[in-house]
Amino acid sequence: MTPTGSALKPMVTKLAQRTALGPAERDALMSLPHRTAQLRRGAFIAREGEKSLRCCLLLSGFAYRHKMTGDGARQILAVHVQGDLIDLQNGLLAQADHNLQPLTGIEVAFIPHEAILAVAEAFPQVARALMADLAATGSMLGEWLLNVGRRNARERICHLLCELALRQEAAGIRVGGDYAWPITQEQLGDATGLTSVHINRTLQGLRREGILSTSSRRVTVTNWGRLREQGDFTPDYLHLPGQEEDEDEARSLGSPQPA
Amino acid sequence: MTPTGSALKPMVTKLAQRTALGPAERDALMSLPHRTAQLRRGAFIAREGEKSLRCCLLLSGFAYRHKMTGDGARQILAVHVQGDLIDLQNGLLAQADHNLQPLTGIEVAFIPHEAILAVAEAFPQVARALMADLAATGSMLGEWLLNVGRRNARERICHLLCELALRQEAAGIRVGGDYAWPITQEQLGDATGLTSVHINRTLQGLRREGILSTSSRRVTVTNWGRLREQGDFTPDYLHLPGQEEDEDEARSLGSPQPA
DNA sequence: CGGGGGTTTGAGTGAGCTCAACTATCGTGG
DNA sequence: CCACGATAGTTGAGCTCACTCAAACCCCCG
């Protein structure tokens, strides 16, 4: 257990964006016992069917949640960026219902579930913040379900492209017009319910039409307006701060590159 | 506000299945202020984009959550049976991110969000129970995402058939081998990411092979083993009580009709 | 007994899949 | 610093599962 409470700051910031937290509550969260660790690709943070013992704050890098069908097909349920509190769900349930793995090399802080629940017990606003976080997670899953169930290949991909751009922006890890793309085409297929081959051809179409370009592990969007339009993207479901007045933020996704 | 606290009993029972609740906690939940109402098909319990003011306990009948793409395609996110606490998510978020409507005529109890959160504030175990409920809801969404993203038409349908059978059983509204099927083929399509036409043809296949038969708004499963197998169904994700030891319950789904 | 929602059928089409090979890129160790 | 193996991306050809459109049918309910 490292005593550097400041490592947990991103978590507090994030929770406080959705639910007001006072100084005492922030302090309690900041001083939660935790242990940081580096994990590399291929490691497991949680495994389907196992009991999850600790919850996990993503400090840097990207991670993803996924589960599999009986015959081995995989569906990615979410991609996580730094600052995300992951594996809280699994701790509340008798057993983890999905796998959680790094997408890149990552740095995490492990926090025992009991500790975080104890803070929630002492501070009702913290409990409420955690509930809001769970609800937001559910909301994102719902949008993914809509995406996979009712949009075509191009729309699905554009939608996901938009989501990751906006979430990286919200997490403060966007520099300019381009952003990290930590996902392979195979994984992109598993996130959208498509084949990597079809992902490849669809991406080629997007590049051909000048909507985006890719270089090593990064995407540069050259036409935000079309990307958003083709992805049928509305950011409400992300429940990011400062989005109460709908349309405002939807437009701001286009702002980095004024069409 | 009706004073008949007993109307809320199904909620308490359900929450207590996942998280231990003492007498004081049960009492507090039971005596929550609420108002019961009858709603008919076509009504709205919550509307996407609006602020949700009260949470809703389903006392009888069936309801469903859904959301739509920009061009009007609909995706059903969940089907709810009696005893389900619905629209808790929406109350925790700034605005509802999906619609909630009756699937049949239903009876509900409306509970102000503030009231239920106040109880959660007073009783940490209640907060924890609500969190577990939110986590379970997320878990179900994850399985639906897997279903729609990575299974073929027949598998998707069989999977949903299994889920509703088991959930009705858990809610105590199963009589014999058959169970209520409150969903039209159109809606079944919207739940599985398929067309009603294709649903129809796939169901015909299942009937032809003697796996199930349908009559007015009910399904009779004649071969549970095959249904479960063809739906790649494992009930873990429902987080129903008494499922700690995995395989047990999976088998019991087959029990009403010993193959 | 008429209307309307739900189901069924047919015929043609197409988005996305499969399989299989090839190429580019990247990290690693010699 | 380069060679190598592994991982990721690309291409081609053929196929199929599920879609579209449109019409007919069948109940159930008022």
Side-chain angles (χ1 to χ4, degrees):
Chain A
M1 300 289 172
T2 341
T4 31
S6 60
L8 301 181
K9 190 153 191 199
M11 170 180 73
V12 179
T13 309
K14 183 125 183 279
L15 290 176
Q17 284 174 346
R18 290 202 191 101
T19 313
L21 295 178
E25 288 146 351
R26 285 161 189 265
D27 278 356
L29 283 170
M30 295 276 230
S31 47
L32 274 168
H34 64 279
R35 187 173 60 77
T36 60
Q38 318 275 335
L39 298 174
R40 57 188 63 205
R41 276 206 282 171
F44 274 86
I45 302 162
R47 251 197 171 93
E48 187 175 347
E50 290 183 358
K51 172 84 192 117
S52 158
L53 296 168
R54 66 232 167 145
C55 110
C56 174
L57 172 66
L58 189 51
L59 297 172
S60 72
F62 297 87
Y64 72 121
R65 293 191 276 143
H66 61 100
K67 57 188 303 187
M68 297 174 95
T69 63
D71 54 344
R74 182 177 61 166
Q75 176 66 47
I76 294 180
L77 306 180
V79 172
H80 288 290
V81 305
Q82 69 182 239
D84 284 356
L85 190 61
I86 51 193
D87 214 22
L88 176 59
Q89 308 91 313
N90 285 335
L92 292 160
L93 300 169
Q95 51 172 288
D97 75 310
H98 57 257
N99 304 295
L100 186 53
Q101 289 192 271
L103 212 41
T104 61
I106 62 174
E107 202 180 355
V108 295
F110 289 117
I111 308 169
H113 279 121
E114 287 319 314
I116 207 166
L117 291 173
V119 172
E121 191 161 325
F123 299 95
Q125 273 305 96
V126 170
R128 181 150 181 177
L130 293 179
M131 285 192 249
D133 195 73
L134 288 165
T137 302
S139 189
M140 291 188 238
L141 277 171
E143 183 70 22
W144 278 47
L145 181 53
L146 174 64
N147 200 37
V148 169
R150 286 301 183 211
R151 296 199 180 101
N152 65 27
R154 171 174 281 229
E155 293 168 332
R156 293 183 207 180
I157 293 170
C158 290
H159 192 276
L160 186 48
L161 254 329
C162 285
E163 173 175 326
L164 268 200
L166 201 51
R167 287 179 60 201
Q168 288 189 47
E169 188 169 290
I173 47 174
R174 273 279 290 290
V175 245
D178 71 326
Y179 57 99
W181 193 250
I183 220 173
T184 67
Q185 294 185 356
E186 179 100 39
Q187 290 162 337
L188 183 47
D190 286 342
T192 52
L194 299 165
T195 317
S196 67
V197 173
H198 197 61
I199 292 284
N200 184 287
R201 300 202 228 257
T202 309
L203 280 176
Q204 282 178 49
L206 294 172
R207 284 192 286 248
R208 204 180 313 121
E209 295 177 27
I211 294 176
L212 56 84
S213 63
T214 52
S215 56
S216 60
R217 312 280 93 182
R218 295 191 77 77
V219 189
T220 309
V221 175
T222 41
N223 191 336
W224 284 101
R226 292 208 57 205
L227 185 73
R228 208 177 64 234
E229 171 218 319
Q230 302 244 323
D232 184 31
F233 186 76
T234 322
D236 302 354
Y237 75 97
L238 293 172
H239 304 284
L240 297 174
Q243 288 198 346
E244 310 309 79
E245 44 277 281
D246 280 9
E247 295 303 293
D248 256 25
E249 198 66 17
R251 237 177 279 125
S252 98
L253 175 58
S255 67
Q257 205 74 227
Chain B
M1 299 289 173
T2 341
T4 32
S6 60
L8 301 181
K9 188 151 193 199
M11 171 180 74
V12 179
T13 309
K14 183 126 183 278
L15 290 176
Q17 284 174 347
R18 289 202 192 102
T19 313
L21 295 178
E25 287 145 352
R26 285 161 189 265
D27 279 355
L29 284 169
M30 295 276 229
S31 48
L32 273 169
H34 64 280
R35 186 173 61 76
T36 59
Q38 318 276 334
L39 297 174
R40 56 188 64 204
R41 276 206 282 170
F44 273 86
I45 302 163
R47 252 198 170 93
E48 187 175 347
E50 291 182 358
K51 173 84 192 119
S52 158
L53 297 167
R54 65 231 169 149
C55 111
C56 175
L57 172 65
L58 189 52
L59 296 173
S60 71
F62 296 86
Y64 71 121
R65 294 191 274 143
H66 61 100
K67 58 188 304 187
M68 296 173 94
T69 64
D71 53 344
R74 182 177 61 165
Q75 176 66 47
I76 294 180
L77 306 180
V79 172
H80 288 291
V81 305
Q82 71 182 239
D84 283 356
L85 189 61
I86 52 193
D87 214 24
L88 175 59
Q89 308 91 313
N90 284 335
L92 292 161
L93 300 169
Q95 52 173 287
D97 74 310
H98 58 258
N99 304 295
L100 186 52
Q101 290 191 270
L103 213 41
T104 61
I106 62 172
E107 202 180 355
V108 295
F110 289 117
I111 307 169
H113 279 121
E114 288 320 314
I116 207 166
L117 290 173
V119 172
E121 191 162 323
F123 299 95
Q125 274 304 98
V126 171
R128 179 149 183 176
L130 294 178
M131 285 192 251
D133 195 72
L134 288 165
T137 302
S139 189
M140 291 189 238
L141 277 171
E143 183 69 24
W144 278 46
L145 181 53
L146 175 64
N147 200 37
V148 169
R150 286 300 185 212
R151 294 199 182 101
N152 66 27
R154 170 173 281 228
E155 292 168 332
R156 293 183 207 179
I157 293 170
C158 290
H159 193 276
L160 186 48
L161 255 326
C162 285
E163 173 175 327
L164 268 201
L166 201 51
R167 286 179 60 202
Q168 289 188 45
E169 188 169 291
I173 48 174
R174 273 281 289 290
V175 245
D178 71 327
Y179 57 99
W181 192 251
I183 221 173
T184 67
Q185 294 185 358
E186 179 99 40
Q187 289 163 336
L188 183 49
D190 286 343
T192 51
L194 299 164
T195 320
S196 66
V197 172
H198 196 61
I199 292 285
N200 184 284
R201 300 202 228 258
T202 309
L203 280 177
Q204 283 177 47
L206 294 173
R207 284 192 286 246
R208 204 179 314 122
E209 294 177 28
I211 294 176
L212 56 86
S213 64
T214 52
S215 55
S216 60
R217 312 281 93 181
R218 295 192 77 77
V219 189
T220 309
V221 175
T222 41
N223 191 336
W224 284 101
R226 289 207 60 204
L227 185 73
R228 207 178 64 233
E229 170 218 319
Q230 302 244 324
D232 185 31
F233 186 78
T234 321
D236 302 354
Y237 74 99
L238 294 173
H239 303 284
L240 296 174
Q243 287 196 350
E244 309 309 80
E245 46 277 280
D246 280 8
E247 296 302 293
D248 258 24
E249 198 66 16
R251 238 177 278 123
S252 97
L253 175 60
S255 66
Q257 207 72 230

